[in-house]
Amino acid sequence: MIDSAGPGYYDAVVLREIPPPAVMAAFGAREDAVRLPGGQGRTWRSGDIVLKPGGLAAETVWVAEVLSAVTETAGFRVARPVRAADGGWVVSGWQAWQLTPGTPDARRWDEILAAGEAFHEAIAGLARPPFLDERDDPWTFGDRIAWEELALQGGETMAELLEPLALSRRPVDLPAQPVHGDLLGNVMFADGLPPAVIDWPVYFRPADWALAVAVVDALTWHGATVALVARWADRVEWDQLLVRALMYRIATNEGCRRAGLPVRERAETYLPVVDLILDRVK
């Protein structure tokens, strides 16, 4: 799931192909396709329909089913999926969404976290999706390392950062649910409308872990300070969730290496955040 990478993880291979005519026809897209900014060049607009190649088909279908039915609130809205003419959600590997007004702004940290919290409240009763057992990508690898479902071997990319974080972990006893694992760049803002949650990479973790990931991303790439950490520190097991969020992001670099994807991130990028979080859990 390329979209769930943070800035600078690697130079993604951009899929330049335009949606095939048969795909556009199946989703009712009648205007010429125009590539949209962002999304690694994979996202196209045709009138009021947005098309992009899907990842794991089972995940695409699960997300579409949930987002087609979720009840929006004053705290969030979502991009609604579009069914194909045959009633399905995927056509030749492509998916489609209704055009959703708004623009991402990765520096509106507190608003993004609040929107994520509202979104997670709305989907809190959902069971663990079965496709998580079969998904195998760099971000899933990083998530499993962070939550001790895979063991560190000592030779991982940036092991010098991962090992002290791993030693600082303590047991976390919090309920898990489906969460959005990449909120910071995937919440859009439009005047007069609630924030829109888009491009959902699904994980099954405590809801506040997803907020911790967004905080880690803000600290690492968008100039946030310890004040952001402190503003959300009333969450149960907040520091331990931050540890796992940071391990998730760092270990993803090793996941990229194992998948044959070039890693462009440097340990120095994460080091100030590692020091900040380790200082909190002393």
Side-chain angles (χ1 to χ4, degrees), residues 95-130:
Q95 58 186 311
W97 306 84
Q98 296 174 8
L99 182 67
T100 304
T103 303
D105 185 345
R107 294 182 66 89
R108 293 173 71 165
W109 309 312
D110 293 284
E111 294 168 272
I112 291 168
L113 292 169
E117 192 167 54
F119 174 68
H120 292 141
E121 288 175 358
I123 61 170
L126 297 177
R128 184 180 185 274

Side-chain angles (χ1 to χ4, degrees), residues 138-153 156 162-163 166 169 205 243-244 247-248 250-252 254-255 258:
W139 301 273
T140 301
F141 175 86
D143 169 65
R144 290 170 179 162
I145 286 286
W147 286 93
E148 300 181 78
E149 294 171 3
L150 291 174
L152 287 174
Q153 303 299 316
E156 292 85 3
L162 289 168
E163 289 173 356
R169 287 181 298 196
R205 300 299 180 196
V243 168
R244 288 160 172 79
M247 288 190 69
Y248 158 63
I250 295 173
T252 292
E254 172 66 10
R258 294 186 180 208

Side-chain angles (χ1 to χ4, degrees), residues 195-233:
V197 177
I198 63 170
D199 287 350
W200 180 12
V202 181
Y203 296 84
F204 195 75
R205 300 299 180 196
D208 288 337
W209 172 80
L211 305 187
V213 172
V215 168
V216 162
D217 290 352
L219 292 167
T220 305
W221 294 301
H222 296 285
T225 68
V226 67
L228 177 63
V229 178
R231 284 199 297 275
W232 291 82

Side-chain angles (χ1 to χ4, degrees), residues 17 19 28 47 110 159-160 167 170 173 195 214 257 276:
E17 73 270 20
D110 293 284
E160 71 277 15
L167 290 172
R170 301 292 181 268
D173 184 16
R257 185 189 69 80
L276 186 159

Side-chain angles (χ1 to χ4, degrees), residues 24-110:
M24 295 183 62
F27 286 116
R30 296 179 176 82
E31 299 183 21
D32 290 343
V34 178
R35 185 182 289 114
L36 293 174
Q40 288 79 43
R42 307 188 309 159
T43 306
W44 300 78
R45 175 182 177 180
S46 171
D48 291 333
I49 295 175
V50 174
L51 302 103
K52 62 183 293 187
L56 185 66
E59 181 170 10
T60 299
V61 170
W62 188 93
V63 168
E65 292 286 353
V66 172
L67 294 185
S68 67
V70 68
T71 301
E72 297 175 328
T73 71
F76 80 97
R77 57 195 164 102
V78 297
R80 299 289 188 183
V82 173
R83 287 189 185 273
D86 65 0
W89 298 112
V90 181
V91 177
S92 299
W94 288 79
Q95 58 186 311
W97 306 84
Q98 296 174 8
L99 182 67
T100 304
T103 303
D105 185 345
R107 294 182 66 89
R108 293 173 71 165
W109 309 312
D110 293 284

